[in-house]
Amino acid sequence: MTKKTSSQHEALWIPPSSSSTPLQRLSPPSSIDNSSTRRATLLLLLTCLLFLLAFNARLVSNAPEDDDQDFGLTIPLIPSDLSSAQRDPYSISPASSNNKISPGPLAPAPIAITPSPSTTEQQDQIQQKPPFSDEDDDKVIAAETTTDGSTHYAYIVVIASEASHQSRRNLIRSNYFGLHDNLIPCMRHNTDVYYTFWIHGGPPPSNTPERRRYETEKMEWNDMAEMPNDVPFEQETVLEWVENTLKATRRIEYDYLIVQDIETFLQLHAIKRELDAGVIGEYSNMPYVVSMDQPLNLIWGSFLGNDDDRQAFIIGSDAAQLVMNKRDHIQQQFAVSKHLLTNTFTYYRAVSGVLKAETDAFLVPEEAVEEQGRLIPEFIREDRLGETQRFIRWENNVESVHIEDHVISRVYQDKDFLALARWTSLRPVPTCARHYYSSDRPNDRDPASIAVVTSSYIYDNCMEPSATLAAENKRHYALQHGYSFVARAPEFEQQLVKHRKIVWGKIDVVEKLLPKYRWLFWMDMDAVVMDPGRSVEALLEKLSESTNNNNYDLVIARPHQDKMINAGVFLIRNSRWSLQFLRDVQDTMSWYNKGPSFEQGAMAEVINRPENQNHVLLLDGDDQTFNTLPKLYIPNVSFVVHFAPDKCPNDAVLKGLQAADILQQGGLVSSLDEE
């Protein structure tokens, strides 16, 4: 290319006249005075201001009304109606026959929507709220109890998982449901969302660290449904379990069932919001409007016949009922794949024309349309080429995920799952509404301010068979009285770092939980509730009446003929004295590894200090109030039996649990075996 000279550039400019007179600055005519100039300037400024206000109002009116959608606040949005090259400059062109990646034209930088200061402040306040605070109550929709005693949820979320995927289950609890720990547990699913992990493939082998971690997780969360080893994860097996176990046995009803495998990421909040609104893909160029007459007769997913079909699907309760009623016929006559819903899609594609013709022939048009909506499910397909797909595969980068992509499958790395949660500004969907206990606002009549607490740490093979069963015994007791149940392992694990005996984890657990409750009822793993009808409130009231004292902060027993207190079962109140007492116990270093008493010796030493005497109710020589040895068990008298033999207590605990079940069924147990 020839370089342009200065003369060439000058030739591009044509002067307004041929005059060679230099340009001069023009002065305003003398007839225009200064006041007129100021008025014109003010009028111009006012016009500009009105224009800006009108433009801003137009932007606000075009914004989505639902402030629950967070995308624009933290990440750049890429409109769905742009071409693939505009959305991603390095996208694969559909027209390319060899599917090679070629760089397209550079797309304009996406516009990041910056929140106003007030919006940022509101979001910070939301993030700083406790997970189950009073301020969130008016935003949570409660589950409904029907007239027949069933519990009705708008959504049931089933996450299919093998037992080994513990880290991903923790991420899902935290990011989907806001359950970051179990310090204030979700005792009941009392919102409109119920979730469970559907464990397939069997538990880890016995007598292994993996099995002990798995049992610990079950004790702490109580959100895992374990399938028999021979039950695979398929659409049919999940639907059958929901029908036979959730609906028939547990009496749980639902509107929509959302199923995913453990390696799939859902924008659960967005899915819920769109189903609530009845518009699927509201931010896409092809939104789908759910039938107002039959909103629960829909099946949403992929129907290609490959494994994508089962990685995520959504089905309304009416459609699920239709599928299960016709399952045998569909699987026999239209089994094009191993996926039941794909076969269902094939079936209705074959018979829908006949069904419509029959209803049109015998019913008036309005009734025919209504009947067709009842007989034929709506299929929301995510497998059509060339159309907006909300179910996509993970492409190893968050930039390929757009606002309408509600399901991303094959996310194998936990770091990628977390990256997706941040990129999509994933908002947790609450599954239970609970309240923090505050010593500044004590509510002594609230049972939820009492927690039954135990250890979930299985440090060897000894208690592996009985630990989870013993935890369930305590959980059922807590549920019966409306208490919280908390099982903890991390505080026991950390004793290895603290160079203390493992049993000291009990003190760490109590110290962590006590500020969150009014009373803690600690029970060792090898303690079994034999009389679950007895409440903590009634016990405390009885003790207050018998001692003429209700100002105690610690209730603990020294069994008959024992020289040392037994800290296997005790009650402790949330008070300044109790917190200082726990600090003093923690500082008693001489007992860190001094057996056989360890933490019990430290507690006894601090209790015996003169300044602490009035705060402790010592049940001296008491074998029946709440800490009974098996050989001293008395029917209809003993409350909690503590199986603590010199050897492994597993067998004795299992026998005690069997006895507790017999008592629950109205049977009689006259004595307990200590061995």
Side-chain angles (χ1 to χ4, degrees):
M1 178 180 292
T2 305
K3 185 177 180 179
K4 292 183 179 180
T5 62
S6 175
S7 60
Q8 286 175 316
H9 280 289
E10 290 173 356
L12 296 176
W13 179 73
I14 302 175
S17 66
S18 59
S19 172
S20 61
T21 305
L23 295 175
Q24 298 179 0
R25 184 182 299 274
L26 298 177
S27 300
S30 58
S31 59
I32 302 177
D33 57 17
N34 292 334
S35 62
S36 300
T37 303
R38 285 196 298 271
R39 283 196 297 270
T41 303
L42 288 173
L43 182 61
L44 181 61
L45 289 174
L46 181 60
T47 303
C48 292
L49 179 61
L50 291 174
F51 174 78
L52 288 174
L53 289 174
F55 182 73
N56 183 63
R58 181 182 178 187
L59 286 179
V60 172
S61 65
N62 288 336
E65 294 181 3
D66 190 346
D67 60 358
D68 290 345
Q69 185 65 30
D70 290 344
F71 288 100
L73 300 180
T74 56
I75 62 172
L77 293 188
I78 303 177
S80 61
D81 55 352
L82 294 179
S83 66
S84 59
Q86 290 173 308
R87 288 163 61 122
D88 187 352
Y90 299 98
S91 61
I92 301 176
S93 173
S96 175
S97 58
N98 54 15
N99 286 334
K100 291 183 179 179
I101 301 177
S102 59
L106 278 178
I111 301 174
I113 303 175
T114 305
S116 64
S118 60
T119 304
T120 304
E121 292 171 4
Q122 291 172 3
Q123 293 228 337
D124 290 341
Q125 291 171 4
I126 291 173
Q127 293 173 356
Q128 293 169 3
K129 291 178 185 176
F132 308 115
S133 66
D134 294 339
E135 298 163 284
D136 287 333
D137 282 358
D138 59 342
K139 301 178 182 179
V140 175
I141 301 175
E144 299 177 358
T145 301
T146 60
T147 55
D148 63 353
S150 301
T151 304
H152 183 273
Y153 296 95
Y155 299 90
I156 290 180
V157 183
V158 175
I159 305 103
S161 169
E162 294 181 340
S164 59
H165 288 93
Q166 183 176 7
S167 62
R168 181 62 61 89
R169 289 192 292 271
N170 285 332
L171 288 179
I172 288 176
R173 290 185 186 104
S174 177
N175 289 277
Y176 280 16
F177 309 113
L179 301 173
H180 307 294
D181 56 52
N182 70 329
L183 299 178
I184 298 182
C186 196
M187 294 298 291
R188 297 182 188 273
H189 292 86
N190 53 12
T191 70
D192 63 341
V193 177
Y194 175 96
Y195 84 93
T196 189
F197 290 101
W198 198 84
I199 307 299
H200 59 96
S206 300
N207 301 329
T208 62
E210 293 77 17
R211 178 60 174 267
R212 293 193 283 276
R213 285 194 295 269
Y214 176 71
E215 296 297 332
T216 292
E217 183 184 7
K218 287 165 62 177
M219 287 186 272
E220 292 180 353
W221 291 102
N222 191 41
D223 59 359
M224 298 155 66
E226 196 172 289
M227 299 300 112
N229 293 4
D230 58 347
V231 175
F233 168 47
E234 297 293 348
Q235 293 175 337
E236 183 174 2
T237 53
V238 173
L239 289 172
E240 186 175 22
W241 176 79
V242 169
E243 187 70 22
N244 296 336
T245 301
L246 288 189
K247 294 184 66 177
T249 304
R250 301 185 190 174
R251 306 188 71 183
I252 293 175
E253 302 290 340
Y254 66 95
D255 290 338
Y256 294 103
L257 173 65
I258 302 173
V259 180
Q260 68 159 93
D261 72 354
I262 195 67
E263 291 166 341
T264 294
F265 174 88
L266 296 185
Q267 292 198 52
L268 183 59
H269 184 270
I271 292 172
K272 181 179 184 298
R273 176 173 47 78
E274 292 190 357
L275 286 171
D276 285 342
V279 180
I280 309 299
E282 58 182 324
Y283 290 102
S284 70
N285 57 359
M286 296 185 66
Y288 185 94
V289 179
V290 177
S291 168
M292 296 180 63
D293 295 326
Q294 301 290 336
L296 305 183
N297 197 16
L298 68 79
I299 303 174
W300 180 5
S302 173
F303 309 103
L304 291 175
N306 56 32
D307 281 345
D308 289 344
D309 297 358
R310 71 169 184 171
Q311 286 168 349
F313 61 91
I314 300 165
I315 185 169
S317 57
D318 292 346
Q321 193 67 49
L322 277 176
V323 171
M324 296 308 291
N325 290 342
K326 297 181 178 296
R327 174 178 54 167
D328 292 341
H329 178 63
I330 291 172
Q331 295 293 67
Q332 291 173 7
Q333 303 295 326
F334 295 88
V336 296
S337 75
K338 61 181 180 180
H339 306 301
L340 174 59
L341 298 184
T342 301
N343 298 338
T344 301
F345 172 74
T346 304
Y347 166 76
Y348 278 103
R349 187 168 58 177
V351 305
S352 60
V354 176
L355 292 175
K356 289 180 179 179
E358 290 178 351
T359 52
D360 287 340
F362 293 100
L363 298 173
V364 297
E366 286 187 6
E367 293 177 352
V369 171
E370 182 178 347
E371 184 67 8
Q372 291 164 13
R374 190 182 65 82
L375 294 176
I376 305 171
E378 291 185 89
F379 290 89
I380 305 176
R381 297 183 59 181
E382 297 296 343
D383 51 26
R384 295 179 184 272
L385 296 177
E387 294 186 6
T388 299
Q389 294 185 13
R390 291 161 287 262
F391 291 22
I392 66 170
R393 291 185 182 181
W394 173 239
E395 297 179 9
N396 294 305
N397 62 83
V398 294
E399 290 80 8
S400 63
V401 177
H402 306 100
I403 190 171
E404 70 274 8
D405 298 333
H406 290 347
V407 175
I408 300 95
S409 62
R410 309 192 184 204
V411 183
Y412 301 116
Q413 298 180 37
D414 286 349
K415 287 185 178 180
D416 289 338
F417 187 96
L418 280 172
L420 281 167
R422 289 190 295 267
W423 176 256
T424 59
S425 297
L426 188 66
R427 289 187 58 177
V429 174
T431 63
C432 56
R434 289 293 309 277
H435 305 277
Y436 266 82
Y437 171 78
S438 171
S439 57
D440 298 329
R441 299 183 290 108
N443 181 5
D444 289 344
R445 296 180 181 273
D446 181 11
S449 64
I450 298 174
V452 176
V453 189
T454 193
S455 166
S456 57
Y457 182 66
I458 310 173
Y459 56 88
D460 60 18
N461 299 337
C462 166
M463 289 294 288
E464 184 183 294
S466 60
T468 303
L469 297 173
E472 285 306 299
N473 167 267
K474 301 174 183 71
R475 187 191 307 277
H476 290 155
Y477 170 72
L479 280 168
Q480 182 173 335
H481 295 281
Y483 307 150
S484 293
F485 171 74
V486 183
R488 296 288 296 177
E491 289 71 33
F492 288 85
E493 293 172 350
Q494 70 189 18
Q495 301 312 310
L496 298 174
V497 180
K498 289 187 169 187
H499 305 292
R500 303 194 300 190
K501 193 69 173 177
I502 294 294
V503 292
W504 272 90
K506 176 190 309 182
I507 305 301
D508 286 0
V509 172
V510 171
E511 194 171 37
K512 176 169 285 188
L513 286 174
L514 190 56
K516 299 170 175 60
Y517 297 92
R518 178 169 54 94
W519 281 95
L520 297 184
F521 190 13
W522 173 270
M523 285 187 264
D524 277 0
M525 183 182 286
D526 54 7
V528 177
V529 179
M530 304 300 293
D531 185 2
R534 206 173 302 185
S535 70
V536 170
E537 297 93 329
L539 174 62
L540 292 172
E541 185 176 351
K542 182 179 179 180
L543 292 173
S544 297
E545 292 175 354
S546 62
T547 60
N548 197 25
N549 177 18
N550 61 359
N551 293 322
Y552 46 80
D553 296 294
L554 174 65
V555 185
I556 196 166
R558 186 184 67 81
H560 182 62
Q561 296 181 343
D562 276 9
K563 296 180 180 180
M564 178 61 68
I565 61 170
N566 190 310
V569 183
F570 62 87
L571 281 158
I572 187 167
R573 187 207 304 261
N574 180 353
S575 68
R576 291 184 179 179
W577 177 89
S578 296
L579 294 171
Q580 184 58 50
F581 167 77
L582 294 170
R583 279 288 87 202
D584 293 342
V585 171
Q586 297 275 29
D587 292 337
T588 312
M589 300 178 63
S590 60
W591 289 96
Y592 278 10
N593 293 287
K594 183 179 178 181
S597 297
F598 303 107
E599 89 293 354
Q600 292 182 144
M603 292 176 71
E605 181 177 314
V606 177
I607 286 172
N608 287 329
R609 294 175 185 174
E611 66 271 18
N612 294 328
Q613 298 290 309
N614 293 333
H615 293 273
V616 181
L617 179 57
L618 178 61
L619 305 175
D620 200 11
D622 187 320
D623 295 314
Q624 296 300 330
T625 298
F626 57 36
N627 195 345
T628 302
L629 296 177
K631 63 182 179 181
L632 300 176
Y633 168 77
I634 302 175
N636 301 319
V637 175
S638 301
F639 176 21
V640 178
V641 174
H642 187 190
F643 297 87
D646 294 334
K647 61 179 183 179
C648 173
N650 178 74
D651 293 342
V653 170
L654 289 174
K655 292 178 181 178
L657 291 169
Q658 291 175 356
D661 289 340
I662 292 172
L663 292 172
Q664 278 293 94
Q665 296 168 11
L668 178 64
V669 176
S670 58
S671 63
L672 292 175
D673 189 354
E674 193 171 9
E675 296 297 328

